[in-house]
Amino acid sequence: MNDQKQLANFVQHMPKVELHLHIEGTLEPEMLLTFAQRNDIALPYKDIESTRAAYQFNDLQSFLDVYYLGTLVLREERDFYELAQAYLQRCKRLGIMHTEIFFDPQTHLSHGVALEVVIGGIHSALKEAECEWGISSAMILCFERDRDAESTVSLLHEALRIGDIVGIGLDSAELGNPPRKFQEVFQRAKTLGLHRVAHAGEEGPPEYIWEALDVLDVERIDHGVRCLEDPRLVQRLLRERIPLTVCPFSNVELKVFPNLKSHNMGNLLDAGLQVTINSDDPAYFGGYLNENIISTVNCLERDFNDVVLLQKNAIEASFCSRDEKIGMLARLERYIASFKFVI
Ligand code: ADE
Ligand code: ZN
């Protein structure tokens, strides 16, 4: 067996953790069209082929236009339930043992969909996956940085009243929307004992990563690939061991890098940063977690040690308890010990 095949085989069955996944970004064309018909929502796509053909992006904004259009079909609790259930079924097939899921409540509220409907649907699917397949998960409520920050604190309180939110995040159009606008809600989240993450340094400059750390006091940076432009920032990320949830397919599809070969994942690893690989919006970017890991590691000519390091980083960077992390590490170690390498 050649090395690439063996590495793919190793990744396929390795117990994994995913930390950067927008549940709305798992809406596959088949499901999009089914929900549109069921909820009587008119879309500009007539079939699966024309839907997939529309998934061509020049940058983050051109993607967000298509992504938010897709969210229009999510109306009822069962839509959110089925969406999350389909992703968790995939997690089972992909060997994902723990996943931390983002959702965008402001978008759904703007469509007239109540918060209970969104959280209730996702939460039921997560609990079911935990009971049936032992897949653990956490929900992270994302605020959209291109919207007003005004009602975010009350939205956060409302969400906490409804369900199991472990933390908050910041997503959507980065350029021209620096993190500081959301200082109040992030401060409140910290007071409430919630975890905090933010997309920064995806398209935006390193200054936005500084601001996410200094003003929002985040514990992880989502993407963060532009940190390498600022050596002082790299020193800070290293010193404080701030994890980066990098999404290689997303970065290529949104033209942050022209192709996978020119992705800076290898440089991030060589700098000693706590990087993890994730799928972001897999229905739109051509691959789920395993494909992201396998293609990136092969394309950048990295090896098994990097695959294991990336997974150990993800376990450490997760919002699981110390005991849960020890359990997941032990599961990973058992898998490595039992894997039959063919020489
Ligand atoms: N929302 C969904 N995917 C996103 C991304 N890659 N960046 C910012 N916001 C998003
Ligand atoms: Zn994202």
Side-chain angles (χ1 to χ4, degrees):
M1 200 187 297
N2 70 31
D3 278 359
Q4 290 209 346
K5 263 200 183 145
Q6 192 156 222
L7 188 131
N9 198 15
F10 180 73
V11 172
Q12 290 297 357
H13 302 99
M14 177 174 67
K16 288 168 291 284
V17 166
E18 175 144 70
L19 301 177
H20 183 160
L21 181 283
H22 302 261
I23 198 64
E24 296 90 344
T26 66
L27 187 59
E28 291 286 342
E30 293 78 1
M31 210 171 231
L32 176 87
L33 297 175
T34 305
F35 290 178
Q37 196 174 38
R38 189 159 91 187
N39 295 325
D40 203 15
I41 308 289
L43 289 174
Y45 319 119
K46 63 177 192 318
D47 53 27
I48 290 168
E49 286 68 41
S50 62
T51 307
R52 280 208 195 281
Y55 293 179
Q56 303 282 338
F57 315 112
N58 308 315
D59 53 18
L60 177 56
Q61 187 59 59
S62 61
F63 157 68
L64 291 171
D65 294 342
V66 174
Y67 168 89
Y68 288 126
L69 179 70
T71 62
L72 276 169
V73 307
L74 300 165
R75 297 281 155 166
E76 308 288 338
E77 187 161 330
R78 77 186 256 221
D79 304 331
F80 290 93
Y81 168 77
E82 288 173 18
L83 178 69
Q85 189 195 41
Y87 166 65
L88 284 149
Q89 260 161 3
R90 269 192 205 265
C91 286
K92 181 170 173 268
R93 291 201 297 275
L94 296 171
I96 296 176
M97 59 179 159
H98 175 76
T99 179
E100 300 189 357
I101 293 175
F102 295 143
F103 67 106
D104 286 327
Q106 289 165 303
T107 282
H108 306 301
L109 284 167
S110 78
H111 300 158
V113 179
L115 204 52
E116 285 87 349
V117 167
V118 181
I119 296 178
I122 300 170
H123 190 248
S124 306
L126 299 187
K127 286 296 126 201
E128 220 170 80
E130 175 132 44
C131 289
E132 286 187 21
W133 305 317
I135 298 172
S136 61
S137 54
M139 272 200 275
I140 298 177
L141 183 162
C142 276
F143 293 106
E144 294 162 42
R145 65 204 308 153
D146 44 356
R147 288 183 187 267
D148 225 7
E150 210 182 297
S151 52
T152 50
V153 171
S154 56
L155 172 55
L156 174 60
H157 282 281
E158 179 69 1
L160 290 173
R161 194 185 54 73
I162 298 167
D164 255 344
I165 310 293
V166 305
I168 65 168
L170 188 66
D171 66 2
S172 206
E174 189 182 10
L175 286 173
N177 295 299
R180 74 182 92 95
K181 199 163 103 187
F182 293 86
Q183 181 174 18
E184 188 190 358
V185 71
F186 274 73
Q187 229 161 35
R188 181 65 62 93
K190 187 175 183 186
T191 310
L192 292 166
L194 293 170
H195 291 291
R196 298 154 321 277
V197 299
H199 284 55
E202 177 185 14
E203 276 190 346
E207 288 72 32
Y208 286 17
I209 303 179
W210 281 105
E211 220 176 278
L213 296 169
D214 289 335
V215 181
L216 304 187
D217 200 7
V218 298
E219 298 152 88
R220 296 195 302 238
I221 296 287
D222 295 314
H223 295 292
V225 290
R226 289 193 58 190
C227 71
L228 292 184
E229 294 168 30
D230 180 345
R232 267 188 57 242
L233 176 58
V234 173
Q235 283 312 308
R236 164 108 187 250
L237 295 170
L238 285 170
R239 198 171 56 245
E240 296 181 16
R241 202 156 166 73
I242 305 286
L244 305 179
T245 63
V246 178
C247 308
F249 281 16
S250 162
N251 294 152
V252 172
E253 291 303 310
L254 304 188
K255 313 289 187 283
V256 174
F257 298 98
N259 49 51
L260 206 49
K261 199 102 199 124
S262 50
H263 196 285
N264 69 0
M265 171 61 75
N267 302 340
L268 295 167
L269 278 168
D270 290 341
L273 289 159
Q274 197 188 349
V275 279
T276 66
I277 289 188
N278 307 273
S279 67
D280 206 8
D281 302 285
Y284 294 94
F285 299 147
Y288 284 77
L289 181 60
N290 294 9
E291 289 117 321
N292 268 273
I293 299 173
I294 293 165
S295 298
T296 307
V297 169
N298 279 335
C299 201
L300 298 178
E301 297 175 28
R302 311 295 301 201
D303 61 16
F304 285 89
N305 294 327
D306 294 308
V307 171
V308 171
L309 176 64
L310 286 161
Q311 266 324 291
K312 288 189 173 168
N313 285 346
I315 292 171
E316 186 190 338
S318 74
F319 293 141
C320 292
S321 68
R322 196 173 153 269
D323 283 353
E324 287 163 341
K325 289 182 189 184
I326 291 171
M328 290 196 287
L329 268 177
R331 214 170 134 183
L332 178 61
E333 297 291 1
R334 276 198 304 277
Y335 172 74
I336 297 166
S338 69
F339 189 79
K340 303 256 183 304
F341 290 96
V342 182
I343 305 163

